[in-house]
Amino acid sequence: MNVLMRVDASTLIGSGHVARCLTLAKALQGLGAQVSFACRRLAGDLSAQIAAQGWPVYRLAVEAPDDGAQARNAANIEALLPWQPDIAALAGQLPPGTCFDWIVVDHYGLDRHWEVAARPWAAQIMAIDDLANRAHEVDLLLDQNFNASTQRYAPWLEGRCRTLLGPEYALLREEFERDARPVRQVVERVVVNFGGMDAAGQTLKALQALMGLAGQQVTQVTFVAGLSNPHWAELQALVEQRPQWQLLAYSADFGQLMAAADLFIGAAGGTTWERAALGLPTLCMAVAANQQDNAQALAAAGVHRYLGPCAQVSVAALAEAIGELLANVEARQRYARLSRQLVDGRGARRVAAALGGLPGS
């Protein structure tokens, strides 16, 4: 099986789409598939990191208005890209006569126009989506979110399209297939992470909140601040005041850090499913508009505590929420139990099996 992943990352898009595609690529590799990636050249793209892991990468030189501008807001990140230049750039990279068994497209900016145009290169196409806001012309659609449903996608899909919906298909690395850590009476270790880039700059807010806890101390905190964090110098200066606190831009052992933690503070994005698989009690905020619905639905189901969009959460409000959860072991135990019931860590295997046409997919 020969598979192409069409996915982007940047300082503004973030790294979550690439992370889940890499996870799926490894699961497909385990079935004997050959996987390659096609990514645009953007500020903060991860093409070099993908290639360093041994995956072939087609680097697409595509002009996109404002794509690297700091003024580009979250709403524009979901705006459709001009699909013709993207297809032309891909055509210029692929060898003549190329045909993939599957093209997997994980991109908020691409819709049925791109998918129809890519048909000559693929026997079948899969879209990974979270938004249900644009038409698709695909054979398979994956939405791993808790609020995914056939009704939500009914206006956007052709009748022949199969769907994989819900957290049982969450694309998690193998390291998250493990037993949950028991919830301890006292929180000793906290992990803070707001995505691979933290373009919203929320790590600093969490650090300030933890430093401002009245009468409560957390012994060990690891801040995984993201590549190119806008507040790196200030974070570094503050962490130096606490010898047992640690500041990292990136961690190759992020799963192990989470597995050893008692509490997670971060974004309501891709790590949602990693935390759930580990049964890690969580306080989260949405750092993008597309995270809000799913985060609210999970909070209503008792899986985590959701504080709302990050712009509406002050340092004081975050500190208050942290203090409440530190003191409430019953709430932390409940979050751990319900999240473990939702995600078992085998989603990538299920999706790979569906692409491979294996029984039980």
Side-chain angles (χ1 to χ4, degrees):
M1 185 164 55
N2 192 12
V3 180
L4 176 70
M5 303 277 184
R6 175 65 188 91
V7 62
D8 285 334
S10 76
T11 52
L12 292 165
I13 294 171
S15 61
H17 296 268
V18 166
R20 65 189 181 188
C21 283
L22 284 169
T23 296
L24 179 56
K26 291 173 184 175
L28 287 165
Q29 188 180 54
L31 298 179
Q34 296 180 338
V35 183
S36 54
F37 286 74
C39 307
R40 283 184 301 160
R41 298 176 183 269
L42 299 171
D45 74 55
L46 298 178
S47 297
Q49 291 89 327
I50 296 169
Q53 294 184 34
W55 307 103
V57 181
Y58 301 105
R59 300 200 66 190
L60 311 181
V62 179
E63 294 295 329
D66 298 327
D67 206 285
Q70 291 300 315
R72 191 174 187 223
N73 58 33
N76 285 337
I77 289 172
E78 298 174 12
L80 292 177
L81 296 175
W83 62 269
Q84 297 97 330
D86 201 279
I87 286 291
L90 184 56
Q93 289 281 301
L94 297 178
T98 295
C99 187
F100 298 97
D101 295 288
W102 283 94
I103 290 179
V104 176
V105 54
D106 185 358
H107 206 299
Y108 295 151
L110 301 176
D111 68 352
R112 69 176 304 277
H113 294 95
W114 189 97
E115 293 153 1
V116 169
R119 279 285 172 188
W121 300 312
Q124 298 185 89
I125 299 177
M126 180 177 87
I128 302 177
D129 196 6
D130 309 299
L131 304 179
N133 68 348
R134 64 201 187 282
H136 290 286
E137 178 67 41
V138 294
D139 304 280
L140 184 64
L141 180 133
L142 165 65
D143 184 338
Q144 63 187 13
N145 283 311
F146 185 64
N147 60 345
S149 68
T150 54
Q151 293 82 4
R152 192 164 178 252
Y153 281 97
W156 308 113
L157 298 176
E158 298 290 332
R160 63 180 176 80
C161 179
R162 293 186 295 149
T163 55
L164 304 176
L165 304 176
E168 68 177 300
Y169 298 106
L171 296 173
L172 300 183
R173 301 188 301 276
E174 288 184 353
E175 64 192 281
F176 293 99
E177 290 187 46
R178 60 193 301 164
D179 294 335
R181 174 176 172 161
V183 176
R184 297 188 289 195
Q185 288 289 126
V186 177
V187 172
E188 296 181 1
R189 298 182 179 182
V190 175
V191 170
V192 176
N193 173 254
F194 286 89
M197 305 292 179
D198 189 19
Q202 296 303 297
T203 306
L204 178 60
K205 180 187 292 183
L207 191 155
Q208 292 168 336
L210 285 162
M211 293 189 76
L213 291 176
Q216 295 171 297
Q217 286 292 330
V218 179
T219 305
Q220 299 180 44
V221 185
T222 300
F223 300 89
V224 185
L227 302 169
S228 305
N229 190 288
H231 302 119
W232 181 263
E234 190 172 358
L235 288 166
Q236 199 168 32
L238 290 172
V239 167
E240 286 176 355
Q241 301 176 24
R242 302 290 175 93
Q244 290 186 284
W245 289 13
Q246 183 181 27
L247 175 64
L248 306 173
Y250 165 81
S251 172
D253 298 318
F254 190 53
Q256 186 58 42
L257 280 176
M258 294 170 69
D262 301 302
L263 179 66
F264 187 98
I265 302 167
T271 55
T272 296
W273 313 118
E274 298 171 352
R275 300 176 323 234
L278 295 172
L280 177 56
T282 295
L283 282 169
C284 66
M285 298 180 281
V287 298
N290 58 52
Q291 297 178 358
Q292 293 180 31
D293 289 348
N294 189 63
Q296 288 171 341
L298 288 168
V303 172
H304 60 209
R305 181 164 180 186
Y306 174 56
L307 301 180
C310 62
Q312 300 176 18
V313 182
S314 67
V315 172
L318 180 56
E320 182 180 359
I322 295 170
E324 290 173 356
L325 202 51
L326 291 178
N328 192 339
V329 66
E330 291 82 7
R332 288 186 275 115
Q333 289 171 338
R334 183 173 65 254
Y335 291 152
R337 183 182 71 256
L338 293 175
S339 62
R340 282 283 291 184
Q341 291 173 2
L342 195 64
V343 182
D344 65 5
R346 298 182 177 88
R349 295 189 189 187
R350 296 186 179 100
V351 177
L355 292 174
L358 300 182
S361 63

